[in-house]
Amino acid sequence: MTLTFDAAKHRYYWDGEVVPNVTTVLSSVVNYSAVPLAVLEKARLEGTAIHKMIEYYVNEDLDIEYLPDWLRPRLAAFQKFMAETQFEASGTERRIYHPAHKYAGTLDLDGLLNNEIAIIDIKRSLFAGAAIGLQLAAYMEAENVRRKQEKLPKAKKRYALQLKANGDYRLEPYDDPNDFAVFLALLTVRRWKEKNESSNA
């Protein structure tokens, strides 16, 4: 059984069957309706570029010479984070799947931070607020299934890492023990809606 991802449709498949992804499940609790579409699209494109840059940098495959000017401060922010925290990345842009709850996603970073295994989500902004905690809880639970299977230490900490346009960063911890239960409730509601929408079609 394998997890695959269709980038064009932004869909995850487990053994050929579509499964919900974490960010889509959370769309019902993050309200972007007041944000103009052009602003949202710009943010989406910038976020994609920032994630790709960090992936290449962590994998030591980034050609800094060709970075556009607007991305350079974001890289400087990440380099500052690495230098000040001594974070040791063990994985980046890892596709993850939870076999019991049947959802998928992509984990930005995992590794050692302050002598503990942590998962980190790279952020252009922290607009989503508390929903970020739900996102990270879903990622951590799925990642820990993989870690248990591979006999690796369990991830215990979760953070959002905002890379700012001024070259600074903000590392925001999330530790509400109810976050995963809330995510599962949203996942259940989404599946209920999908079932009833299809039966009424």
Side-chain angles (χ1 to χ4, degrees), residues 6-25:
D6 184 331
K9 296 179 179 179
H10 198 78
R11 286 182 182 171
Y12 294 82
Y13 300 83
W14 180 253
D15 236 21
E17 181 179 346
V18 177
V19 293
N21 70 74
V22 172
T23 52
T24 301
V25 171

Side-chain angles (χ1 to χ4, degrees), residues 75-107:
L75 177 61
F78 186 72
Q79 291 171 322
K80 183 179 181 182
F81 158 72
M82 294 284 283
E84 291 184 351
T85 65
Q86 301 298 304
F87 174 71
E88 298 177 21
S90 57
T92 178
E93 296 299 316
R94 192 195 308 281
R95 310 281 188 219
I96 51 176
Y97 174 75
H98 199 300
H101 298 293
K102 296 181 172 57
Y103 67 82
T106 300
L107 177 59

